[in-house]
Amino acid sequence: MDSAPVSRAEQRRRTQDRVLAAARRLFAEHGYDRTTIRAIAAEAKTDPGLVMRYFESKEKLFARIAVVDRHEPFGGTPEQLAEQLLAALDAKTSAEPVAALAALRSMFTHPEAAKEVREAMLAEQRHAADALPDDDAELRTSLIGALTLGTVIARYLLRLDGLEDAPPEKITALLRDPFHS
């Protein structure tokens, strides 16, 4: 079965995609400090020199993959806002957020990862706080952010019993009251 020859541009794109996928997995699994360019290249089945050629440095590669999801601005009534935040948590517990986990695992040892996580959380909290009418809006959204962050860390990084295998809808059902309070 003949296949058409693959262009250099297509070969490059495929190699870059393999490197990005390997980097996501390894940074999420081992964190920034314990992940090496050589390990990423081996996982991607390519040469470490190509990884450096395409991405220039470990830090630039990390910045490319360790992006924390940012959501559309929140709005509506406080009840609608709580449900939007619960839906965001449900999405994070339904599928392992590999890129976010790379940032979370690395945030304790790598300043850029900590900055990325903090900026994403602050942006989400500000949008949510703007939609709440009460004086405690900032504190309430910070606590909801802490619950969300703690849930993701406990589920995917610590793999706590009960939480690791819990259905996402059960998690959001149990957190519904605190999110609405």
Side-chain angles (χ1 to χ4, degrees):
M1 191 163 152
D2 282 334
S3 61
V6 179
S7 70
R8 282 190 181 269
E10 180 61 18
Q11 287 175 348
R12 178 184 174 121
R13 188 194 61 73
R14 288 178 184 177
T15 301
Q16 287 176 334
D17 288 348
R18 286 194 323 272
V19 168
L20 290 170
R24 274 187 203 94
R25 194 185 75 64
L26 292 174
F27 282 126
E29 186 176 321
H30 302 294
Y32 182 85
D33 288 339
R34 291 180 41 219
T35 299
T36 65
I37 292 294
R38 287 186 185 281
I40 292 168
E43 176 88 8
K45 295 181 178 36
T46 193
D47 185 80
L50 277 180
V51 175
M52 296 302 288
R53 182 171 162 205
Y54 293 156
F55 298 99
E56 297 180 24
S57 69
K58 179 177 161 180
E59 187 167 276
K60 286 183 180 182
L61 176 57
F62 179 80
R64 178 93 178 262
I65 63 97
V67 177
V68 178
D69 294 336
R70 288 182 166 82
H71 301 283
E72 293 298 315
F74 298 106
T77 67
E79 292 76 26
Q80 290 169 327
L81 173 63
E83 289 304 315
Q84 291 168 9
L85 292 168
L86 283 165
L89 175 61
D90 185 72
K92 291 171 185 157
T93 57
S94 293
E96 189 168 337
V98 177
L101 289 174
L104 290 174
R105 184 175 297 278
S106 300
M107 71 182 181
F108 299 108
T109 59
H110 188 61
E112 192 61 35
K115 180 181 170 201
E116 177 73 24
V117 171
R118 180 173 168 30
E119 286 177 1
M121 288 192 70
L122 285 174
E124 189 168 295
Q125 288 173 7
R126 284 187 192 115
H127 289 301
D130 288 345
L132 290 175
D134 46 19
D135 294 335
D136 292 334
E138 191 173 295
L139 176 59
R140 289 178 64 202
T141 58
S142 291
L143 289 168
I144 288 170
L147 280 171
T148 300
L149 180 63
T151 300
V152 171
I153 289 171
R155 182 175 177 88
Y156 294 112
L157 298 182
L158 299 175
R159 301 197 181 281
L160 294 182
D161 290 348
L163 187 55
E164 180 181 17
D165 298 323
E169 60 275 5
K170 176 95 176 197
I171 295 168
T172 54
L174 290 171
L175 288 175
R176 185 160 269 107
D177 284 344
F179 274 51
H180 278 277
S181 296

